[in-house]
Amino acid sequence: MPDQHRVTGRAARTPRSLPRRLARWLSSVAMAGLVAACAAPPPAQTPVERGRYLVESILGCGNCHTPKDARGAPIDALNLSGGGVRINVPPFTVTATNITPDRDTGIGRWTEAEIKRAIVEGMRPAHGRLANTQLAPVMAVGFFKALLPADLDAVVAYLRSVKPIRNEVALPVYRARVPFDTYPDAETGFTAAQMSDPVQRGKYLATIGHCMECHSPAETKGHTDYTKLGKGGRGFNASFVEGFPKEWPGAVARNITSHRTAGIGTWTDAEIKRAITQGIARDGRKLQPPMGFSYYARMTAADLDALVAYLRTVPPQE
């Protein structure tokens, strides 16, 4: 029995019943449709989707605002309900607050404008607990100021969409007013047009991710020394940071400049990405919190590429 579906090395002939001109037209229409489908951009994210991505990845909000289990892993069922870390230093003692929409213990009574004000200005609303007081400077307001308007809207949209969880954490104790550090790149700001440039996009991500807050050394008065951007050396230990496993040895933020020996100048892209997302150093050592590796592991490949592209440009510091 002849194989009616057999096709030779040449294109199959047009059936005699179909005029060739019509066949050519149909073929061109089909090809145009295929090209258009391949070229079509992916569906745009909704504000809530974009906000979820930012909050649960590069911003790493849950690294402080989500309770942790005995192993130090975030408890998903209590996401963003507060109590992830407690910091006790001379100027203040603060426990990361509940930022779910619970109306009594969270931010459910806050307006969108009030949430934005807290994120980029570091001020509580003019109502409720500790009305009109400044948040502790562990909130990276000086970095979050860089958030593009659409991204800030998205973050607020997501925070208002998460499950409200009743979880009352201890009120902060403020013993001295400490001004927020000013981060140069956040002060300069970014534009949406810059996001098509991988280095600028990486700089934006590093800024809103407040990478240099930890990876730059502190001055004698406790403020960050951004003249030594990325040099590292800031220490974290259980004497003032609570919320990590009892066996946590503490950590010292390393040099992430392009210096070839003191920094990461000779690391491959893959090695840098592994350190960011898995907490494994170039030599195989396990890196320590407070860096939120599990959050950065949720970043897209394109955003990780951009972040690495930016880190390559950070001037070397020894």
Side-chain angles (χ1 to χ4, degrees), residues 255-261 263-266 311-317:
N255 186 322
I256 58 170
T257 73
S258 56
H259 196 282
R260 294 184 61 81
T261 54
I264 57 174
T266 59
L311 291 175
R312 297 285 190 205
T313 72
V314 177
Q317 294 272 357

Side-chain angles (χ1 to χ4, degrees), residues 39-202:
Q45 288 181 306
T46 66
V48 170
E49 289 170 340
R50 174 64 177 169
R52 178 185 296 111
Y53 172 70
L54 292 170
V55 167
E56 304 293 351
S57 66
I58 185 61
L59 292 177
C61 300
N63 198 31
C64 291
H65 290 279
T66 297
K68 300 176 178 63
D69 63 21
R71 298 175 296 108
I75 303 172
D76 292 339
L78 299 176
N79 191 35
L80 304 177
S81 65
V85 296
R86 179 178 180 269
I87 297 178
N88 184 17
V89 290
F92 53 81
T93 299
V94 295
T95 301
T97 57
N98 184 337
I99 56 173
T100 75
D102 183 73
R103 292 180 61 81
D104 297 320
T105 65
I107 58 174
R109 298 181 190 272
W110 296 23
T111 67
E112 291 183 15
E114 288 167 344
I115 298 172
K116 290 179 182 179
R117 182 184 182 217
I119 293 171
V120 301
E121 296 180 31
M123 294 296 292
R124 289 176 175 271
H127 59 83
R129 304 187 304 174
L130 301 174
N132 271 332
T133 54
Q134 177 192 296
L135 299 174
V138 289
M139 179 75 170
V141 169
F143 294 82
F144 298 150
K145 184 177 180 179
L147 279 161
L148 293 170
D151 280 349
L152 182 56
D153 288 343
V155 168
V156 174
Y158 174 59
L159 291 179
R160 292 169 74 88
S161 77
V162 301
K163 176 186 175 183
I165 300 172
R166 182 175 182 80
N167 182 34
E168 187 165 0
V169 301
L171 282 174
V173 176
Y174 300 121
R175 291 178 282 271
R177 184 179 175 86
V178 182
F180 293 108
D181 281 338
T182 298
Y183 187 63
D185 288 335
E187 290 296 312
T188 302
F190 296 86
T191 66
Q194 289 177 304
M195 297 303 102
S196 60
D197 178 334
V199 172
Q200 288 299 315
R201 183 177 184 84

Side-chain angles (χ1 to χ4, degrees), residues 255-300:
N255 186 322
I256 58 170
T257 73
S258 56
H259 196 282
R260 294 184 61 81
T261 54
I264 57 174
T266 59
W267 291 35
T268 66
D269 287 4
E271 287 169 341
I272 297 172
K273 291 176 186 177
R274 185 177 71 164
I276 293 171
T277 62
Q278 299 179 42
I280 301 174
R282 189 185 198 188
D283 60 6
R285 286 182 300 110
K286 181 176 175 57
L287 302 175
Q288 296 293 329
M291 189 158 167
F293 310 109
S294 64
Y295 292 92
Y296 307 138
R298 300 167 184 169
M299 293 175 65
T300 64

